[in-house]
């Protein structure tokens, strides 16, 4: 049924088995590997050498010793609360401390003290002494005042009294005058009936222009 065509001749192997094709594939793969090596590898970081004159700089700052007066001033500055009004007036609240006593004579409350230098607060308008007193057990009159330990005298107009009809009160003095320079101010308390009395808090309130 089928006739043999004359003149037909097989030309060779299929293209997949030709040597030239495999050589081309190997050449292309080699080129891809080279490109990957040069363009896709992580870049090395450049390290800058520190100059010799900068390498010996110390990493810590040597501390400078402070005098007791300077230490007190630094502590006071860190604790002082400042309130500024819209008119530019500033209120400084310098905490003095708290404590207890049952003495019927003027007694310094241990730890209720602070150094205050008026020159640090600019133009002063008023200075007042403020103290909160509490009678937890028995009603009695309790007096409190501010004492300048450095100059060894009472701060005039600072004495205040909570009467026996009150168990607790916030007392605010009339305007007082602070001495010039850095002085240590101490809170003193006196009770009427020697019943335990608590100084809850005390402070110097400075208002400036």
């Amino acid at each position: 049924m089928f006739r043999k065509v004359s003149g037909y001749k097989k030309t060779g192997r299929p293209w997949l088995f030709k040597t030239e094709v495999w050589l081309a594939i190997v050449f292309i793969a080699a080129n891809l590997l080279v490109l990957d090596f040069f363009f896709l590898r992580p870049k090395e970081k450049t390290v800058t050498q520190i100059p010799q004159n900068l390498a010996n700089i110390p990493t810590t700052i040597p501390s400078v010793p402070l005098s007791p007066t300077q230490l007190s001033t630094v502590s006071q500055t860190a604790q002082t609360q400042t309130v500024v009004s819209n008119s530019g007036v500033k209120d400084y609240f310098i905490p003095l401390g708290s404590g207890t006593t049952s003495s019927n004579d003027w007694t310094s409350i241990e730890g209720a003290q602070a150094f205050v230098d008026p020159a640090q607060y600019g133009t002063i308008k008023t200075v007042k002494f403020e103290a909160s007193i509490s009678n937890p057990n028995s009603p009695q009159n309790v007096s409190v005042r501010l004492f300048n330990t450095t100059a060894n005298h009472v701060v005039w107009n600072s004495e205040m009294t909570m009467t026996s009809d009150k168990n607790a009160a916030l007392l605010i003095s009339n305007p007082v005058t602070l001495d010039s320079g850095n002085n240590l101010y101490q809170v003193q308390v006196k009770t009427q009936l020697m019943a335990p009395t608590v100084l809850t808090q005390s402070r110097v309130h400075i208002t400036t222009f």
Side-chain angles (χ1 to χ4, degrees):
M1 175 180 286
F2 298 97
R3 290 189 308 169
K4 185 176 180 181
V5 179
S6 60
Y8 171 79
K9 184 180 182 181
K10 192 175 181 181
T11 58
R13 293 174 299 170
W15 68 269
L16 182 62
F17 298 97
K18 290 185 178 182
T19 304
E20 295 83 0
V21 174
W22 282 105
L23 288 176
I25 293 174
V26 172
F27 179 79
I28 294 172
N31 279 274
L32 290 175
L33 289 175
V34 172
L35 291 175
D36 288 345
F37 178 79
F38 284 102
F39 294 100
L40 299 181
R41 67 172 179 172
K43 295 183 179 180
E44 297 181 355
K45 295 183 179 180
T46 303
V47 178
T48 303
Q49 186 176 3
I50 301 176
Q52 186 65 29
N53 59 340
L54 297 179
N56 297 325
I57 296 178
T59 56
T60 57
I61 301 175
S63 59
V64 180
L66 300 176
S67 65
T69 301
Q70 290 173 316
L71 287 173
S72 300
T73 302
V74 170
S75 176
Q76 167 196 318
T77 303
Q79 297 177 0
T80 300
Q81 179 185 2
T82 306
V83 178
V84 183
S85 67
N86 293 332
S87 61
V89 174
K90 291 183 180 180
D91 289 285
Y92 299 92
F93 297 93
I94 305 169
L96 298 173
S98 58
T100 60
T101 185
S102 57
S103 175
N104 62 350
D105 196 5
W106 288 111
T107 303
S108 296
I109 302 299
E110 184 178 357
Q113 59 185 7
F115 280 92
V116 182
D117 185 357
Q120 294 183 353
Y121 301 95
T123 305
I124 294 178
K125 181 180 179 181
T126 58
V127 179
K128 293 183 179 180
F129 171 51
E130 302 178 358
S132 295
I133 299 292
S134 173
N135 277 326
N137 300 319
S138 145
Q140 63 178 342
N141 292 342
V142 179
S143 297
V144 60
R145 70 184 184 183
L146 196 58
F147 190 84
N148 187 335
T149 302
T150 303
N152 195 29
H153 69 76
V154 177
V155 177
W156 296 279
N157 293 327
S158 67
E159 184 175 333
M160 303 173 288
T161 299
M162 183 183 72
T163 55
S164 59
D165 60 323
K166 299 178 181 178
N167 293 326
L170 169 62
L171 305 177
I172 301 176
S173 73
N174 292 321
V176 301
T177 301
L178 300 179
D179 294 327
S180 60
N182 197 31
N183 291 269
L184 178 62
Y185 292 91
Q186 173 82 54
V187 179
Q188 295 183 337
V189 177
K190 179 176 67 172
T191 69
Q192 179 189 19
L193 304 176
M194 300 182 66
T197 296
V198 179
L199 174 68
T200 307
Q201 65 90 20
S202 57
R203 62 190 183 183
V204 175
H205 180 188
I206 299 177
T207 301
T208 64
F209 294 102

